[in-house]
Amino acid sequence: MAGIPTRITFTDPHTLLDNGRVSEPLSTPQWYALAIRAQSLRQSASFDHLLAPQALYERLRPHAYQLRVVEQALREKAPAVILADEVGLGKTVEAGLIYKELALRGVVRSALVLTPKALLSQWQEELAERFDEDFVLTDEKRFRGFEREDRIICSLPQFVRSFEQIASRTWDMLIVDEAHLLANTQSKRRKRVGELRARWRLLLTATPVANKLTDLYSLIDLVAPGKLGSQRDFEAEYVADPGAARVLRPDRASQLRAITHEVMCRTRRADTDIAFSGRHVDTRAIPATPAEDALIADVTDYLRRLYRRAPTTRLNRGAVIREIMALQQSLSSSPRAIEASLRRRAEQRSEEAGALLALADRCVGIESAKESLLLDTLAEIPNEPALIFTLRLDTASHLREIIRARGRTAECYVGALSRAEREAMVARFNAGELSALIATDAGAEGLNLQQRCHTVFNYDLHWNPMRIEQRIGRVHRLGQTRDVAVFNFVLRDSVDDYVLRLLYQKISLFTMTVGALETVLAEAQDGEIDLEERVLEILLKSESGDEVRQRVESLGAELLMARGRQREAETLTLEALG
């Protein structure tokens, strides 16, 4: 299908818009021929030639095993399939390719993605960056409701609460991530997923047997109802230890695996040719300067007072929590960043303007300890190009100037840049004209620097572990030929220091695969409160640094337990499915 555009929109019978650019007018015979061709693509069920890989060639280069999974799902297992590759092999990519293939053919127009709350943004960014698909989150201002939106990403708790609105229509495609969370056949969310009308269903999980064999029954029954009979029938047929259901009857193992194969695509690491370079992590903590330390203490006190005044209703309280989180991120980033945030808030909150401006005035001229640490570390690697991540634009702009003052060439890679500006900057970096890029998380979408760069700085720590992994993934990805160095900077005995040492290092964040990390975060989520908000609440509810440290350590122990359960599930799945 050479030459098929990635997106075609018809606004007039004689005009073709190809990716937004008006081409030459079409004659009536050309229009008719094109319409016939488009209809044949919509109705094609053979999938002998996939359209999506070519349409996405500039955005995504799938592995051979991922294309095999997509072909199997479309040709052999349609219209419902469990994608159960081992951890870290890219089930999201496979699901995205299946969706894109069907969307290009006009088979799928509406799609609902259900995922744990911790992974909502990850899914949205992945679909936009890799698949050029704009899905809306249900908590975004632009969300118009389940009846009006055609491409939605929704948390599992929100799905249960809003089921009546969601179920008022038939969806072309349903995608459920971390589908092992539906293992309990009696749970409300499991029942609701079973009741939802959807023409295509994709269930994603690396551990379809998370705790017991009946987990597998639950998932298979969602994509092929009745295939294994009732749950009681399944247990009588396949379970060797009734009650516990953790041992498969040896004489029924091959039969169950054959049935499972009919509805499941599963790739193991041993079946792939993936070879990633290594990763070395260097965490450096430095004491805050005295003035910086006093400022952090006083701004944190202000945030605690703001938190105590927050409304009790979930919706209004959520808005206040987001405001506090933004201020806390500025505080963690740099004196310049928190100064700018405080002054902006003073303009919006006249009743607090005096106190806010007094705090902002104290920021002027304060030396940043992390700034000195960055310059010293860059001096240790004078010939290495570097990717430096910050949380705030004010910090990024200042770092660019001080790096330039030391004789390096540097630019800011931020969200405000146009696509052409971004491409030009990356080309300059890869050509050796720039030795440092200072990026914000908002600007990192689509940034791939594995060609030349081997060093990533987390100048500011993000409390969402997926953000940290996304940052490192800009460099540590397929095509990287050298080991990657990751530098983490924190102020000693700060909340960032505790998060890094007691949370991230406890679960071996920097050596986990993305898939394992997603599973651990999903399991550790406390209802509607994600990990980032839990850390913020620890900071704001604690009366002292020691209490912050103790509570973060307790949260780290909880994540470690989730990590252990995730490993046990991998073992049980391997024993059951091979």
Side-chain angles (χ1 to χ4, degrees):
M1 298 298 184
I4 291 180
T6 59
R7 182 166 299 182
I8 302 175
T9 304
F10 297 103
T11 56
D12 181 270
H14 301 287
T15 305
L16 173 65
L17 276 73
D18 183 348
N19 290 328
R21 297 186 299 274
V22 179
S23 67
E24 62 185 59
L26 294 174
S27 66
T28 299
Q30 287 175 316
W31 166 261
Y32 180 75
L34 187 59
I36 292 295
R37 180 63 181 141
Q39 185 64 20
S40 69
L41 289 175
R42 292 190 183 97
Q43 295 180 343
S44 173
S46 65
F47 300 104
D48 290 334
H49 181 85
L50 297 181
L51 307 181
Q54 182 173 328
L56 299 170
Y57 186 76
E58 296 300 324
R59 293 174 173 268
L60 175 68
R61 307 291 170 86
H63 294 288
Y65 73 84
Q66 291 173 326
L67 292 176
R68 285 197 299 271
V69 166
V70 173
E71 290 169 350
Q72 288 176 13
L74 293 171
R75 297 173 185 172
E76 303 169 18
K77 307 181 193 299
V81 60
I82 302 168
L83 303 181
D85 291 354
E86 284 188 333
V87 166
L89 296 185
K91 292 179 290 297
T92 307
V93 170
E94 295 166 356
L97 282 168
I98 293 170
Y99 164 78
K100 190 72 175 183
E101 186 69 28
L102 295 172
L104 286 171
R105 295 171 182 265
V107 176
V108 165
R109 297 182 183 276
S110 62
L112 175 67
V113 178
L114 302 181
T115 181
K117 187 170 183 284
L119 307 180
L120 291 171
S121 296
Q122 168 77 2
W123 264 94
Q124 186 182 46
E125 291 164 10
E126 188 91 350
L127 287 167
E129 178 181 333
R130 294 179 180 269
F131 300 99
D132 192 26
E133 293 290 342
D134 181 23
F135 276 67
V136 64
L137 303 179
T138 57
D139 62 355
E140 289 186 272
K141 290 182 179 179
R142 63 183 177 127
F143 178 64
R144 300 172 300 171
F146 291 100
E147 299 85 356
R148 298 179 63 188
E149 299 287 354
D150 278 337
R151 292 176 293 182
I152 300 173
I153 302 172
C154 177
S155 71
L156 286 165
Q158 178 70 50
F159 166 72
V160 173
R161 288 197 304 270
S162 305
F163 181 73
E164 288 188 10
Q165 300 101 288
I166 296 172
S168 65
R169 61 189 291 187
T170 297
W171 295 85
D172 291 333
M173 176 170 281
L174 171 67
I175 301 174
V176 183
D177 195 16
E178 302 296 333
H180 51 271
L181 297 174
L182 305 177
N184 181 359
T185 56
Q186 301 307 308
S187 71
K188 185 174 290 187
R189 61 189 172 195
R190 164 60 171 77
K191 290 179 179 179
R192 293 292 184 257
V193 168
E195 293 166 3
L196 194 69
R197 291 171 295 162
R199 296 184 176 92
W200 287 76
R201 290 173 181 258
L202 303 181
L203 306 186
L204 282 59
T205 176
T207 53
V209 188
N211 294 298
K212 49 189 178 180
L213 289 169
T214 49
D215 299 345
L216 180 62
Y217 167 83
S218 178
L219 297 187
I220 291 178
D221 195 60
L222 276 174
V223 296
K227 193 173 189 66
L228 291 170
S230 69
Q231 183 169 329
R232 180 176 295 181
D233 294 336
F234 173 82
E235 292 185 45
E237 184 78 10
Y238 298 105
V239 174
D241 56 337
R246 293 179 65 88
V247 179
L248 176 64
R249 286 179 54 180
D251 60 325
R252 291 290 185 269
S254 59
Q255 179 180 332
L256 179 59
R257 289 168 183 167
I259 293 173
T260 301
H261 179 72
E262 294 176 14
V263 297
M264 179 184 292
C265 296
R266 176 169 167 79
T267 306
R268 296 180 55 187
R269 283 187 170 271
D271 303 326
T272 74
D273 56 356
I274 295 180
F276 283 108
S277 57
R279 181 185 295 186
H280 304 289
V281 180
D282 186 347
T283 295
R284 302 189 178 189
I286 188 172
T289 63
E292 193 175 22
D293 190 47
L295 176 69
I296 290 171
D298 289 345
V299 174
T300 300
D301 283 343
Y302 167 74
L303 296 181
R304 286 181 175 134
R305 293 194 299 272
L306 190 61
Y307 177 77
R308 287 193 289 267
R309 300 198 306 265
T312 55
T313 59
R314 186 176 60 84
L315 182 61
N316 294 333
R317 184 177 180 81
V320 174
I321 292 296
R322 286 191 290 273
E323 291 177 6
I324 296 174
M325 180 66 75
L327 288 168
Q328 172 59 40
Q329 288 183 340
S330 293
L331 183 62
S332 294
S333 184
S334 70
R336 283 172 176 78
I338 188 60
E339 178 191 357
S341 294
L342 289 170
R343 295 194 189 282
R344 283 193 295 269
R345 186 170 180 81
E347 294 176 358
Q348 302 164 357
R349 302 286 194 279
S350 58
E351 72 280 6
E352 298 180 305
L356 291 168
L357 291 175
L359 285 171
D361 289 341
R362 288 174 52 189
C363 301
V364 179
I366 288 183
E367 294 183 5
S368 168
K370 286 196 299 182
E371 180 181 312
S372 301
L373 183 59
L374 175 65
L375 293 175
D376 290 344
T377 306
L378 287 173
E380 297 172 15
I381 50 173
N383 299 318
E384 284 292 331
L387 175 60
I388 304 166
F389 278 101
T390 72
L391 290 168
R392 290 290 177 262
L393 288 170
D394 302 279
T395 306
S397 299
H398 179 66
L399 292 181
R400 177 184 59 191
E401 300 312 312
I402 65 169
I403 291 172
R404 286 176 174 177
R406 290 292 185 96
R408 279 182 175 247
T409 50
E411 289 290 355
C412 293
Y413 191 95
V414 297
L417 297 174
S418 68
R419 181 172 181 177
E421 289 171 326
R422 293 184 186 206
E423 292 174 352
M425 192 176 293
V426 169
R428 289 177 61 202
F429 184 84
N430 287 333
E433 298 175 21
L434 297 173
S435 63
L437 283 184
I438 305 101
T440 59
D441 289 302
E445 180 182 318
L447 181 60
N448 301 321
L449 299 178
Q450 69 273 23
Q451 178 179 332
R452 175 172 175 252
C453 186
H454 324 287
T455 307
V456 179
F457 286 85
N458 288 310
Y459 184 85
D460 299 329
L461 188 70
H462 206 295
W463 294 350
N464 182 339
M466 288 306 303
R467 291 288 190 185
I468 296 292
E469 185 54 42
Q470 287 166 359
R471 290 172 172 184
I472 300 170
R474 303 300 96 192
V475 169
H476 196 201
R477 60 195 301 119
L478 191 66
Q480 178 61 262
T481 59
R482 289 174 51 184
D483 287 353
V484 170
V486 180
F487 290 93
N488 300 313
F489 291 167
V490 291
L491 295 177
R492 188 169 296 148
D493 295 326
S494 66
V495 64
D496 289 344
D497 188 14
Y498 300 145
V499 167
L500 195 63
R501 290 190 291 109
L502 304 177
L503 220 61
Y504 292 169
Q505 291 182 4
K506 181 162 284 190
I507 63 171
S508 303
L509 166 70
F510 296 100
T511 58
M512 288 175 67
T513 63
V514 172
L517 179 58
E518 289 174 342
T519 299
V520 169
L521 290 179
E523 182 142 343
Q525 185 169 314
D526 183 9
E528 285 287 280
I529 302 177
D530 58 23
L531 184 65
E532 199 171 354
E533 187 173 333
R534 293 184 72 180
V535 173
L536 182 65
E537 290 199 339
I538 286 173
L539 173 66
L540 300 179
K541 288 181 177 179
S542 300
E543 299 296 331
S544 66
D546 283 343
E547 188 176 352
V548 173
R549 179 185 56 76
Q550 291 168 4
R551 289 188 175 191
V552 172
E553 188 166 16
S554 177
L555 180 55
E558 184 180 330
L559 287 178
L560 189 61
M561 291 178 63
R563 174 67 163 145
R565 290 191 294 269
Q566 186 263 337
R567 285 172 169 160
E568 288 179 3
E570 287 181 7
T571 300
L572 191 57
T573 294
L574 182 60
E575 291 173 352
L577 301 182

PDB file of all heavy atoms in Angstrom, residues 138-141 158 161 310-323 528 533:
ATOM      1  N   THR A 138     -10.687  11.732  31.093  1.00  0.00           N
ATOM      2  CA  THR A 138     -11.987  12.154  31.611  1.00  0.00           C
ATOM      3  C   THR A 138     -11.881  13.323  32.582  1.00  0.00           C
ATOM      4  O   THR A 138     -12.896  13.967  32.867  1.00  0.00           O
ATOM      5  CB  THR A 138     -12.698  10.987  32.317  1.00  0.00           C
ATOM      6  OG1 THR A 138     -11.848  10.493  33.376  1.00  0.00           O
ATOM      7  CG2 THR A 138     -12.970   9.852  31.329  1.00  0.00           C
ATOM      8  N   ASP A 139     -10.687  13.609  33.107  1.00  0.00           N
ATOM      9  CA  ASP A 139     -10.549  14.739  34.030  1.00  0.00           C
ATOM     10  C   ASP A 139     -10.012  15.989  33.345  1.00  0.00           C
ATOM     11  O   ASP A 139      -9.705  16.984  34.008  1.00  0.00           O
ATOM     12  CB  ASP A 139      -9.660  14.365  35.221  1.00  0.00           C
ATOM     13  CG  ASP A 139      -8.241  13.991  34.810  1.00  0.00           C
ATOM     14  OD1 ASP A 139      -7.968  13.930  33.590  1.00  0.00           O
ATOM     15  OD2 ASP A 139      -7.411  13.767  35.706  1.00  0.00           O
ATOM     16  N   GLU A 140      -9.893  15.966  32.017  1.00  0.00           N
ATOM     17  CA  GLU A 140      -9.453  17.155  31.293  1.00  0.00           C
ATOM     18  C   GLU A 140     -10.627  18.122  31.107  1.00  0.00           C
ATOM     19  O   GLU A 140     -11.771  17.707  30.985  1.00  0.00           O
ATOM     20  CB  GLU A 140      -8.902  16.768  29.916  1.00  0.00           C
ATOM     21  CG  GLU A 140      -7.564  16.060  29.953  1.00  0.00           C
ATOM     22  CD  GLU A 140      -7.027  15.846  28.550  1.00  0.00           C
ATOM     23  OE1 GLU A 140      -7.361  14.814  27.944  1.00  0.00           O
ATOM     24  OE2 GLU A 140      -6.270  16.711  28.074  1.00  0.00           O
ATOM     25  N   LYS A 141     -10.311  19.411  31.028  1.00  0.00           N
ATOM     26  CA  LYS A 141     -11.353  20.414  30.831  1.00  0.00           C
ATOM     27  C   LYS A 141     -12.070  20.230  29.500  1.00  0.00           C
ATOM     28  O   LYS A 141     -13.258  20.541  29.371  1.00  0.00           O
ATOM     29  CB  LYS A 141     -10.748  21.813  30.910  1.00  0.00           C
ATOM     30  CG  LYS A 141     -10.290  22.214  32.303  1.00  0.00           C
ATOM     31  CD  LYS A 141      -9.748  23.635  32.309  1.00  0.00           C
ATOM     32  CE  LYS A 141      -9.312  24.042  33.708  1.00  0.00           C
ATOM     33  NZ  LYS A 141      -8.758  25.421  33.738  1.00  0.00           N
ATOM     34  N   GLN A 158     -13.240   5.341  37.841  1.00  0.00           N
ATOM     35  CA  GLN A 158     -14.153   6.240  37.134  1.00  0.00           C
ATOM     36  C   GLN A 158     -15.095   5.445  36.237  1.00  0.00           C
ATOM     37  O   GLN A 158     -16.283   5.782  36.097  1.00  0.00           O
ATOM     38  CB  GLN A 158     -13.360   7.240  36.304  1.00  0.00           C
ATOM     39  CG  GLN A 158     -14.212   8.217  35.483  1.00  0.00           C
ATOM     40  CD  GLN A 158     -14.926   9.217  36.357  1.00  0.00           C
ATOM     41  OE1 GLN A 158     -14.304   9.842  37.200  1.00  0.00           O
ATOM     42  NE2 GLN A 158     -16.228   9.372  36.163  1.00  0.00           N
ATOM     43  N   ARG A 161     -17.909   4.135  38.352  1.00  0.00           N
ATOM     44  CA  ARG A 161     -18.819   5.205  38.766  1.00  0.00           C
ATOM     45  C   ARG A 161     -19.684   5.718  37.616  1.00  0.00           C
ATOM     46  O   ARG A 161     -20.839   6.100  37.811  1.00  0.00           O
ATOM     47  CB  ARG A 161     -18.024   6.381  39.352  1.00  0.00           C
ATOM     48  CG  ARG A 161     -17.412   6.122  40.702  1.00  0.00           C
ATOM     49  CD  ARG A 161     -17.026   7.442  41.366  1.00  0.00           C
ATOM     50  NE  ARG A 161     -16.139   8.227  40.518  1.00  0.00           N
ATOM     51  CZ  ARG A 161     -14.820   8.144  40.530  1.00  0.00           C
ATOM     52  NH1 ARG A 161     -14.229   7.269  41.342  1.00  0.00           N
ATOM     53  NH2 ARG A 161     -14.075   8.889  39.748  1.00  0.00           N
ATOM     54  N   ALA A 310      -7.980  23.225  52.403  1.00  0.00           N
ATOM     55  CA  ALA A 310      -8.539  22.679  51.165  1.00  0.00           C
ATOM     56  C   ALA A 310      -9.951  22.157  51.392  1.00  0.00           C
ATOM     57  O   ALA A 310     -10.262  21.617  52.457  1.00  0.00           O
ATOM     58  CB  ALA A 310      -7.649  21.563  50.629  1.00  0.00           C
ATOM     59  N   PRO A 311     -10.847  22.311  50.411  1.00  0.00           N
ATOM     60  CA  PRO A 311     -12.230  21.807  50.548  1.00  0.00           C
ATOM     61  C   PRO A 311     -12.232  20.297  50.741  1.00  0.00           C
ATOM     62  O   PRO A 311     -11.282  19.593  50.380  1.00  0.00           O
ATOM     63  CB  PRO A 311     -12.882  22.188  49.216  1.00  0.00           C
ATOM     64  CG  PRO A 311     -11.994  23.236  48.625  1.00  0.00           C
ATOM     65  CD  PRO A 311     -10.612  22.964  49.114  1.00  0.00           C
ATOM     66  N   THR A 312     -13.300  19.800  51.314  1.00  0.00           N
ATOM     67  CA  THR A 312     -13.403  18.360  51.552  1.00  0.00           C
ATOM     68  C   THR A 312     -14.013  17.618  50.375  1.00  0.00           C
ATOM     69  O   THR A 312     -13.822  16.414  50.237  1.00  0.00           O
ATOM     70  CB  THR A 312     -14.252  18.085  52.803  1.00  0.00           C
ATOM     71  OG1 THR A 312     -15.526  18.721  52.644  1.00  0.00           O
ATOM     72  CG2 THR A 312     -13.562  18.641  54.050  1.00  0.00           C
ATOM     73  N   THR A 313     -14.752  18.314  49.497  1.00  0.00           N
ATOM     74  CA  THR A 313     -15.337  17.632  48.339  1.00  0.00           C
ATOM     75  C   THR A 313     -14.225  17.232  47.376  1.00  0.00           C
ATOM     76  O   THR A 313     -13.268  17.968  47.161  1.00  0.00           O
ATOM     77  CB  THR A 313     -16.337  18.536  47.607  1.00  0.00           C
ATOM     78  OG1 THR A 313     -15.674  19.730  47.179  1.00  0.00           O
ATOM     79  CG2 THR A 313     -17.481  18.908  48.519  1.00  0.00           C
ATOM     80  N   ARG A 314     -14.365  16.045  46.784  1.00  0.00           N
ATOM     81  CA  ARG A 314     -13.289  15.468  45.992  1.00  0.00           C
ATOM     82  C   ARG A 314     -12.912  16.344  44.804  1.00  0.00           C
ATOM     83  O   ARG A 314     -11.741  16.576  44.535  1.00  0.00           O
ATOM     84  CB  ARG A 314     -13.701  14.067  45.495  1.00  0.00           C
ATOM     85  CG  ARG A 314     -12.597  13.317  44.769  1.00  0.00           C
ATOM     86  CD  ARG A 314     -13.070  11.934  44.408  1.00  0.00           C
ATOM     87  NE  ARG A 314     -14.233  11.967  43.547  1.00  0.00           N
ATOM     88  CZ  ARG A 314     -14.164  12.117  42.217  1.00  0.00           C
ATOM     89  NH1 ARG A 314     -12.997  12.239  41.640  1.00  0.00           N
ATOM     90  NH2 ARG A 314     -15.256  12.128  41.493  1.00  0.00           N
ATOM     91  N   LEU A 315     -13.923  16.895  44.108  1.00  0.00           N
ATOM     92  CA  LEU A 315     -13.644  17.676  42.904  1.00  0.00           C
ATOM     93  C   LEU A 315     -12.897  18.960  43.237  1.00  0.00           C
ATOM     94  O   LEU A 315     -11.853  19.275  42.659  1.00  0.00           O
ATOM     95  CB  LEU A 315     -14.955  17.992  42.171  1.00  0.00           C
ATOM     96  CG  LEU A 315     -14.808  18.763  40.858  1.00  0.00           C
ATOM     97  CD1 LEU A 315     -13.981  17.959  39.864  1.00  0.00           C
ATOM     98  CD2 LEU A 315     -16.172  19.101  40.289  1.00  0.00           C
ATOM     99  N   ASN A 316     -13.432  19.735  44.206  1.00  0.00           N
ATOM    100  CA  ASN A 316     -12.784  20.994  44.567  1.00  0.00           C
ATOM    101  C   ASN A 316     -11.434  20.762  45.235  1.00  0.00           C
ATOM    102  O   ASN A 316     -10.492  21.520  45.034  1.00  0.00           O
ATOM    103  CB  ASN A 316     -13.705  21.798  45.503  1.00  0.00           C
ATOM    104  CG  ASN A 316     -14.971  22.251  44.799  1.00  0.00           C
ATOM    105  OD1 ASN A 316     -14.969  22.424  43.580  1.00  0.00           O
ATOM    106  ND2 ASN A 316     -16.040  22.417  45.546  1.00  0.00           N
ATOM    107  N   ARG A 317     -11.359  19.719  46.036  1.00  0.00           N
ATOM    108  CA  ARG A 317     -10.102  19.422  46.717  1.00  0.00           C
ATOM    109  C   ARG A 317      -9.031  19.049  45.696  1.00  0.00           C
ATOM    110  O   ARG A 317      -7.862  19.427  45.828  1.00  0.00           O
ATOM    111  CB  ARG A 317     -10.299  18.276  47.720  1.00  0.00           C
ATOM    112  CG  ARG A 317      -9.049  17.973  48.542  1.00  0.00           C
ATOM    113  CD  ARG A 317      -9.351  16.882  49.573  1.00  0.00           C
ATOM    114  NE  ARG A 317      -8.186  16.585  50.371  1.00  0.00           N
ATOM    115  CZ  ARG A 317      -7.767  17.292  51.408  1.00  0.00           C
ATOM    116  NH1 ARG A 317      -8.457  18.364  51.767  1.00  0.00           N
ATOM    117  NH2 ARG A 317      -6.696  16.952  52.081  1.00  0.00           N
ATOM    118  N   GLY A 318      -9.429  18.343  44.654  1.00  0.00           N
ATOM    119  CA  GLY A 318      -8.471  17.953  43.621  1.00  0.00           C
ATOM    120  C   GLY A 318      -7.824  19.154  42.964  1.00  0.00           C
ATOM    121  O   GLY A 318      -6.622  19.146  42.679  1.00  0.00           O
ATOM    122  N   ALA A 319      -8.601  20.210  42.736  1.00  0.00           N
ATOM    123  CA  ALA A 319      -8.049  21.416  42.122  1.00  0.00           C
ATOM    124  C   ALA A 319      -7.009  22.067  43.026  1.00  0.00           C
ATOM    125  O   ALA A 319      -5.958  22.517  42.567  1.00  0.00           O
ATOM    126  CB  ALA A 319      -9.177  22.400  41.817  1.00  0.00           C
ATOM    127  N   VAL A 320      -7.301  22.114  44.328  1.00  0.00           N
ATOM    128  CA  VAL A 320      -6.352  22.701  45.270  1.00  0.00           C
ATOM    129  C   VAL A 320      -5.087  21.857  45.355  1.00  0.00           C
ATOM    130  O   VAL A 320      -3.964  22.394  45.396  1.00  0.00           O
ATOM    131  CB  VAL A 320      -6.996  22.846  46.669  1.00  0.00           C
ATOM    132  CG1 VAL A 320      -5.959  23.332  47.689  1.00  0.00           C
ATOM    133  CG2 VAL A 320      -8.162  23.815  46.609  1.00  0.00           C
ATOM    134  N   ILE A 321      -5.234  20.535  45.362  1.00  0.00           N
ATOM    135  CA  ILE A 321      -4.066  19.650  45.415  1.00  0.00           C
ATOM    136  C   ILE A 321      -3.171  19.881  44.200  1.00  0.00           C
ATOM    137  O   ILE A 321      -1.940  19.911  44.310  1.00  0.00           O
ATOM    138  CB  ILE A 321      -4.507  18.169  45.484  1.00  0.00           C
ATOM    139  CG1 ILE A 321      -5.178  17.870  46.829  1.00  0.00           C
ATOM    140  CG2 ILE A 321      -3.321  17.245  45.264  1.00  0.00           C
ATOM    141  CD1 ILE A 321      -4.285  18.022  48.032  1.00  0.00           C
ATOM    142  N   ARG A 322      -3.776  20.082  43.031  1.00  0.00           N
ATOM    143  CA  ARG A 322      -2.967  20.340  41.830  1.00  0.00           C
ATOM    144  C   ARG A 322      -2.216  21.667  41.944  1.00  0.00           C
ATOM    145  O   ARG A 322      -1.070  21.781  41.513  1.00  0.00           O
ATOM    146  CB  ARG A 322      -3.866  20.325  40.585  1.00  0.00           C
ATOM    147  CG  ARG A 322      -4.320  18.923  40.183  1.00  0.00           C
ATOM    148  CD  ARG A 322      -4.964  18.929  38.804  1.00  0.00           C
ATOM    149  NE  ARG A 322      -6.251  19.612  38.812  1.00  0.00           N
ATOM    150  CZ  ARG A 322      -7.408  19.030  39.107  1.00  0.00           C
ATOM    151  NH1 ARG A 322      -7.438  17.755  39.435  1.00  0.00           N
ATOM    152  NH2 ARG A 322      -8.551  19.715  39.066  1.00  0.00           N
ATOM    153  N   GLU A 323      -2.852  22.671  42.544  1.00  0.00           N
ATOM    154  CA  GLU A 323      -2.171  23.950  42.753  1.00  0.00           C
ATOM    155  C   GLU A 323      -0.984  23.775  43.695  1.00  0.00           C
ATOM    156  O   GLU A 323       0.109  24.310  43.452  1.00  0.00           O
ATOM    157  CB  GLU A 323      -3.152  24.970  43.341  1.00  0.00           C
ATOM    158  CG  GLU A 323      -4.248  25.417  42.387  1.00  0.00           C
ATOM    159  CD  GLU A 323      -5.225  26.368  43.063  1.00  0.00           C
ATOM    160  OE1 GLU A 323      -4.963  26.756  44.228  1.00  0.00           O
ATOM    161  OE2 GLU A 323      -6.241  26.723  42.439  1.00  0.00           O
ATOM    162  N   GLU A 528      -8.369   6.448  44.501  1.00  0.00           N
ATOM    163  CA  GLU A 528      -8.198   7.476  43.483  1.00  0.00           C
ATOM    164  C   GLU A 528      -6.901   8.265  43.670  1.00  0.00           C
ATOM    165  O   GLU A 528      -6.577   9.132  42.881  1.00  0.00           O
ATOM    166  CB  GLU A 528      -9.383   8.444  43.526  1.00  0.00           C
ATOM    167  CG  GLU A 528     -10.655   7.880  42.933  1.00  0.00           C
ATOM    168  CD  GLU A 528     -10.588   7.799  41.412  1.00  0.00           C
ATOM    169  OE1 GLU A 528     -10.798   8.812  40.736  1.00  0.00           O
ATOM    170  OE2 GLU A 528     -10.303   6.696  40.918  1.00  0.00           O
ATOM    171  N   GLU A 533       0.447  12.022  44.554  1.00  0.00           N
ATOM    172  CA  GLU A 533      -0.359  12.708  45.556  1.00  0.00           C
ATOM    173  C   GLU A 533      -0.105  12.147  46.948  1.00  0.00           C
ATOM    174  O   GLU A 533      -0.132  12.874  47.942  1.00  0.00           O
ATOM    175  CB  GLU A 533      -1.838  12.606  45.205  1.00  0.00           C
ATOM    176  CG  GLU A 533      -2.730  13.444  46.111  1.00  0.00           C
ATOM    177  CD  GLU A 533      -4.174  13.462  45.662  1.00  0.00           C
ATOM    178  OE1 GLU A 533      -4.421  13.286  44.454  1.00  0.00           O
ATOM    179  OE2 GLU A 533      -5.048  13.642  46.524  1.00  0.00           O
TER     180      GLU A 533
END
